[in-house]
Amino acid sequence: MKNKIGFIGLGNMGIHMANNLIKAGYHLQVYNRTEAKILELDQASVTVCKTPAEAATGVPILISMLSQDEVLRESTVGAEGILKTFPANAVHISMSTISPDTAEKLAKLHQQHGSKYIASPVFGRPEAAEAKKLFICISGDKDAKEIATPVLENLGQRIVDFGDKVGGANVVKVAGNFMILASLEIMAEAFTLAEKNGLDRVQVAEFFGSTIFNAPIYQNYGKLIANKQYEPVGFKASLGYKDARLAVKLAQLSQTPMPAATLAHDRLLSAVAKGWGDRDWVEGVGRGVSEDAGV
Amino acid sequence: MKNKIGFIGLGNMGIHMANNLIKAGYHLQVYNRTEAKILELDQASVTVCKTPAEAATGVPILISMLSQDEVLRESTVGAEGILKTFPANAVHISMSTISPDTAEKLAKLHQQHGSKYIASPVFGRPEAAEAKKLFICISGDKDAKEIATPVLENLGQRIVDFGDKVGGANVVKVAGNFMILASLEIMAEAFTLAEKNGLDRVQVAEFFGSTIFNAPIYQNYGKLIANKQYEPVGFKASLGYKDARLAVKLAQLSQTPMPAATLAHDRLLSAVAKGWGDRDWVEGVGRGVSEDAGV
Amino acid sequence: MKNKIGFIGLGNMGIHMANNLIKAGYHLQVYNRTEAKILELDQASVTVCKTPAEAATGVPILISMLSQDEVLRESTVGAEGILKTFPANAVHISMSTISPDTAEKLAKLHQQHGSKYIASPVFGRPEAAEAKKLFICISGDKDAKEIATPVLENLGQRIVDFGDKVGGANVVKVAGNFMILASLEIMAEAFTLAEKNGLDRVQVAEFFGSTIFNAPIYQNYGKLIANKQYEPVGFKASLGYKDARLAVKLAQLSQTPMPAATLAHDRLLSAVAKGWGDRDWVEGVGRGVSEDAGV
Amino acid sequence: MKNKIGFIGLGNMGIHMANNLIKAGYHLQVYNRTEAKILELDQASVTVCKTPAEAATGVPILISMLSQDEVLRESTVGAEGILKTFPANAVHISMSTISPDTAEKLAKLHQQHGSKYIASPVFGRPEAAEAKKLFICISGDKDAKEIATPVLENLGQRIVDFGDKVGGANVVKVAGNFMILASLEIMAEAFTLAEKNGLDRVQVAEFFGSTIFNAPIYQNYGKLIANKQYEPVGFKASLGYKDARLAVKLAQLSQTPMPAATLAHDRLLSAVAKGWGDRDWVEGVGRGVSEDAGV
């Protein structure tokens, strides 16, 4: 029988990841803020936990997939946090999209505690999480990465190691999210230019998505942007904005002027200011560009 | 035997296109500013011409592939231009990257003259032109497009029709060039962010190019940007800047605010101002971003 | 008795300038597209003209104050333009806000014609024109400037010479208009920041306008922006946009990256795209910034 | 005899302010990180303190003028901070340039402690501080402001009340600093445009500074920018950048898109990245714009 694993965070992504671990034969000690969500998993393979500390009790590995730096920090060092019970030498695989410097701080706290923390953010949407098609970036302590790898193989199609500095994978994740957001902006501008010059946005999007820009980002998002199809909400503008802030913050801390990042940041900040925070981030960008152009 | 075709402009792209037409059995009446260049073609299949007018004499179809609006205009309506000799009902296939409004004006002049003009700009680099792998966008008069299509099939892997308004294909070309240029900016910013945070630019580029951004643009240019490999010069910064101006101009004329386009425009304007106009446009963007970040 | 002067263009500014010249004792030969406007002047001192050519007949000096490059060019070299009748050695004082390269071209045409052209754009609103408080920038041929100066002294409070290159004063005018427009953007952003943080926009504007930013631009426009007082329309957004384009064009031609100028340009381009072209440019900027912030 | 006052922070500004209070008859209990600096004050009127707590002992009023949020926070709530000894009902006049939310937090801590905290940031350079010409913005508890006013009257030429919400004055200060920084950018761009078009930067700066932009900001900084006179260092680029970050942060927190602020922020971030952090912020902007234009 496989080891027990602690698991914290059953959001849109986490629920599929937990499910895949169960299918792979793991037993999970699960904590989720909304406990009812845990019932969606195979109950024979889970132990319902009331706190992060409970989920971390007696496991050699714990996976967390949370929405932001603050939540992860509280779940780790709070009064009922992971480090209250996490065993010596156990490995915390942190898969959330967070700031590299939060990762560095948490890794240090784990080290002082005698346990380990590695960064392991992912690229892919919920469908990819469900289909074990995520791209997983890892960084941090070598031994911990070795321990984590067989577990992560049940979650994604590829695992790429970005070195021993624990924040490395987080930098890649922040950079990638910036690239995606900026691509939305580019497409929205290009398609609006086409529209205002009498062309069919959708045909233009299909042309680029099937020729020089035939990558998933341009194909999938291109379709949504071209059709101004903003529902259902796949990823909230407020969360996209949070990621844009991570990029701007990282640019500040590492002294890297990124004008395209500040531009994209301002686009989503405006979306949030206009009250579109709960709508899809594609609407935040696409509708923003359209309205600026009077269409 | 196939028809004779007029051909004007043996630049990096035009030379391969002319060659492919010859291989397909056409005889070409060729004009090029630097006449010596014509000697690189199979002489049995070409007639060397001294002027655009000479190249346009007696042919049902003429192809032009020139570097900018001014040159095309002069070659068409100048004292020794195409329209001096172009037969009634003949079709001018204009493959240059030019402004849509120049295309509209030239089409009108052809119409008044009794001949036809269609837009037919392409996406692809010289290697693609050589391998008949270009993506060809066409727009304009329906009958003329039908006449042009069998000829164009010898030049590219796909022909997409963007409607009867002659400037349509030019809009797509301008939009696409903007998308490429903006993608260079995005990559340069993302890779520099990675570099300044202690990561390997090349590894980051390879990761994105083989996962969520696995399109030629991101793979090929990503490699060059990540490696800061700016030679040999494939496409001059000054020409890239010319294209950026076309995008800004089209945005102005069609009242489409495009902040990412003005940003990218300013990046290449700065490259030209710094004296890098004859270097590769990838250097214009990549080195610009690096220097701003002090690396 | 003083010389006759030709005068073309009785817009918001021109009407006051013509009036001041009449008060100073000049007799004007006036052309205006809308002839009725000429009736507002003292009829004893004007000769109503049907064409620019008529206004230019037999005068040693002609003043033009028109809305844009195209109109000035047509008025000068058109079939019934100034140069049809302008006497040898006569001086054309061109006070319109136009591109320096248009100025250079027109100066050359005058030279070939045997007459002279100097640039003489002004800073100041209609009230300043009425009160002879304009700031006048001049450039071009030395002798012509000497001839023009006593006339211009009836129109403004100060005349500053920007050299013998005819476009010089136009560069200053374009630069100054950019500075004003960018200042509107800055104020709109600052006051909106204050508003969204619970402060009184008007108090903040008054504070800055009476302390570190106690210049007319900040005082007068600051009041309008702070109060969101967008009527009556003093200067149309479409005209402000035209000026922004002149700045962007000059930046392109002289290879000067101006990110604040492209930003300001995009702000007014968006205003025009949204259909606010006939509203005040202060609304174009102020309302644009407010709407982006959701207020 | 007047009350004793606690005083913390003898930087470029603080030293003059302390001096003016002494001249006005106050006795100061002074703490400064570099104790030697205290010797520059009239020793008969100062008590040298080893800690902020010591400076806060037994005084009804304490003034702090520190370089950043972190330092002020530590000086207030640290182990040897102000709140260790500050008397009940005493008033802390916080004159540093800090984030409004830091002000709110500190005010709450004072309230819990039984004392009071008001914001009182200033506009003006060291010369203005010396000449009692500062413009002082105040906000916070009404009674505390009344107590503070007679003291502040010895430091500036004008005191403006921005309401009872304690962060109000800090918002005005952050907004004002943004306006100044953005004005530097505007001038640098305009003067560089003039230069690249063959004009004399200095003449252009003088023209605007004595006409439509005749405010101290444009006159004083305009001269420095036009002359590219970057020494002596009056205000470090790294500090200017810190202020730009405050603006961007406040824009984020209050959901106010400020593209001119992010642009100005990126300009100084680049200056710091290039290693110019210890040079004047005017160089950071001016040289940045010049180099982008290749001059």
Side-chain angles (χ1 to χ4, degrees), chain C residues 20-98:
Chain C
N20 284 329
L21 290 171
I22 288 169
K23 284 185 194 160
Y26 291 98
H27 184 92
L28 304 186
Q29 293 184 176
V30 186
Y31 169 74
N32 192 54
R33 206 176 38 177
T34 310
E35 196 179 302
K37 190 84 181 171
I38 306 178
L39 300 177
E40 296 181 17
L41 297 174
D42 174 7
Q43 295 301 299
S45 302
V46 304
T47 304
V48 177
C49 301
K50 297 288 185 192
T51 63
E54 217 178 303
T57 304
V59 292
I61 288 178
L62 176 138
I63 289 176
S64 61
M65 187 62 171
L66 299 164
S67 62
Q68 51 189 304
D69 293 52
E70 283 316 308
V71 178
L72 174 59
R73 200 180 285 131
E74 180 61 22
S75 301
T76 304
V77 302
E80 300 181 318
I82 295 161
L83 292 186
K84 290 288 176 209
T85 58
F86 211 35
N89 297 317
V91 175
H92 180 172
I93 306 175
S94 173
M95 305 188 75
S96 315
T97 295
I98 57 161

Side-chain angles (χ1 to χ4, degrees), chain A residues 135 158 161-162 176 182-183 186 189 196-197 203 208 210-212 214 216-218 254-255 257-261 292, chain B residues 135 158 161-162 165 176 182 186 189 196-197 203 208 210-212 214 216-218 254-255 257-261 292:
Chain A
F135 296 107
R158 198 163 140 204
D161 187 344
F162 286 98
S183 298
I186 289 175
E189 292 186 16
K196 293 208 69 173
N197 280 281
Q203 189 197 10
F208 286 120
S210 63
T211 56
I212 55 176
N214 61 340
I217 293 297
Y218 283 85
S254 62
Q255 300 184 349
M258 296 177 73
D292 278 357
Chain B
F135 296 108
R158 198 163 140 203
D161 187 344
F162 286 98
K165 219 180 132 202
I186 288 175
E189 292 187 15
K196 293 207 70 172
N197 280 280
Q203 189 197 9
F208 287 120
S210 63
T211 57
I212 54 176
N214 59 340
I217 293 298
Y218 283 85
S254 60
Q255 299 183 349
M258 296 177 73
D292 279 358

